[in-house]
Amino acid sequence: MSTATPSSASTVCYADTLKPYSPQNATYLWFIINTLKPYSPQNATYLWFIINTLKPYSPQNATYLWFIINTLKPYSPQNATYLWFIINTLKPYSPQNATYLWFIINAVCLFVSAALVVLVAHGPESRGDHFARQCYLIYNLGTSIVWCTEVALHLLGDGESDGGSGTGSNENESILVSRREKLAKYVELVLAAYFVLDSAYVVARWKMKLDHTSAMLGDLVVNVLVYAWATVVTWRLTKRDMDYYERIDSEARSKERTGV
């Protein structure tokens, strides 16, 4: 008469417990296991390279990054509907869409810059020098706000601008150039915002040293050149849009006459 040892009995017990999970019995389980095998670290090295690369940016590791993300969540289109209503309302006034408006703004800035050059050029001995400095402080703040607004609206209307058409490498190059331009615009927006804060601080102090006359003149001359160029560019864009709409109107009138 043979008796089973405790170890052999436990082995039989484990075997009976695992039987329902054998490939013959648990076909769906083993189907999942075989499906996931190609994604193991041994087989899908590139996938796991990406996973390991992204690990430092997990909520547990990159707490500051996720703090920024969670801070910005309330301003998403789903949560901040009123904010995005304002943004969508302002989109038609972007430099891409409202070319005639920005032609007028640039022309006004050009005229004011030229007038201030004449006013400041009288020199420190002029009785109107103090008034010229005050005008320059307000002008500097105003043009900084215009610059910041223009860049911000440009970014808002970027998705609605004509992206052109193309296929293959030309289209990829166009997308790459568009991304670089957008990145440059974001950098420009940061600079513009800095100059708005800096000029607002100077206006709040309402003070400027006497030896800033040459710096003011230099800044104004540069602004005259910049606004002259911007005025020409926006006028060309305005003329292009006007020609486009005139062509559309003429085609519509010709269709009406011919009855097509």
Side-chain angles (χ1 to χ4, degrees):
M1 181 176 174
S2 63
T3 58
T5 62
S7 61
S8 62
S10 62
T11 303
V12 171
C13 180
Y14 286 138
D16 291 338
T17 304
L18 293 175
K19 266 185 182 180
Y21 305 104
S22 66
Q24 295 82 3
N25 298 323
T27 53
Y28 188 70
L29 171 65
W30 286 92
F31 168 75
I32 295 174
I33 292 172
N34 291 325
T35 303
L36 293 176
K37 270 185 181 178
Y39 304 104
S40 66
Q42 295 81 2
N43 298 323
T45 52
Y46 187 69
L47 171 65
W48 286 91
F49 167 75
I50 295 173
I51 291 172
N52 292 325
T53 303
L54 294 176
K55 269 185 181 178
Y57 304 103
S58 67
Q60 294 81 2
N61 298 323
T63 53
Y64 187 69
L65 172 65
W66 286 91
F67 167 75
I68 295 174
I69 292 172
N70 291 325
T71 303
L72 293 176
K73 269 184 181 178
Y75 304 102
S76 67
Q78 294 81 5
N79 299 322
T81 53
Y82 187 71
L83 172 65
W84 286 91
F85 167 75
I86 295 173
I87 290 173
N88 291 324
T89 303
L90 292 174
K91 273 185 180 181
Y93 302 102
S94 67
Q96 301 95 312
N97 298 321
T99 53
Y100 187 67
L101 171 65
W102 285 97
F103 163 71
I104 294 174
I105 292 173
N106 287 323
V108 169
C109 290
L110 172 62
F111 175 77
V112 174
S113 301
L116 271 177
V117 167
V118 176
L119 189 62
V120 173
H122 285 292
E125 293 79 14
S126 172
R127 276 193 265 181
D129 181 61
H130 183 66
F131 174 71
R133 292 176 190 278
Q134 290 179 338
C135 289
Y136 175 79
L137 291 177
I138 297 172
Y139 160 86
N140 193 38
L141 176 59
T143 51
S144 297
I145 292 173
V146 168
W147 180 24
C148 191
T149 303
E150 183 176 6
V151 178
L153 289 176
H154 191 285
L155 287 169
L156 287 179
D158 196 45
E160 298 180 2
S161 61
D162 295 336
S165 59
T167 56
S169 61
N170 291 332
E171 185 177 358
N172 292 333
E173 288 175 8
S174 177
I175 293 171
L176 184 61
V177 169
S178 177
R179 287 176 179 171
R180 287 175 180 171
E181 288 177 352
K182 186 174 283 191
L183 178 61
K185 281 293 176 184
Y186 277 114
V187 174
E188 187 180 352
L189 180 61
V190 172
L191 290 175
Y194 167 77
F195 278 107
V196 168
L197 295 175
D198 180 66
S199 55
Y201 173 73
V202 176
V203 167
R205 290 177 60 195
W206 201 246
K207 200 173 172 182
M208 181 176 281
K209 294 179 181 178
L210 290 175
D211 58 354
H212 275 26
T213 302
S214 58
M216 284 193 298
L217 276 174
D219 180 54
L220 288 168
V221 169
V222 169
N223 283 356
V224 166
L225 296 174
V226 169
Y227 282 119
W229 175 79
T231 302
V232 171
V233 169
T234 48
W235 169 248
R236 286 178 177 174
L237 293 174
T238 302
K239 189 72 169 61
R240 182 200 65 184
D241 292 344
M242 291 169 62
D243 293 341
Y244 172 77
Y245 288 119
E246 285 178 5
R247 187 170 68 251
I248 295 295
D249 289 340
S250 62
E251 289 176 359
R253 283 195 298 269
S254 64
K255 286 181 179 178
E256 286 179 1
R257 285 195 298 267
T258 57
V260 178

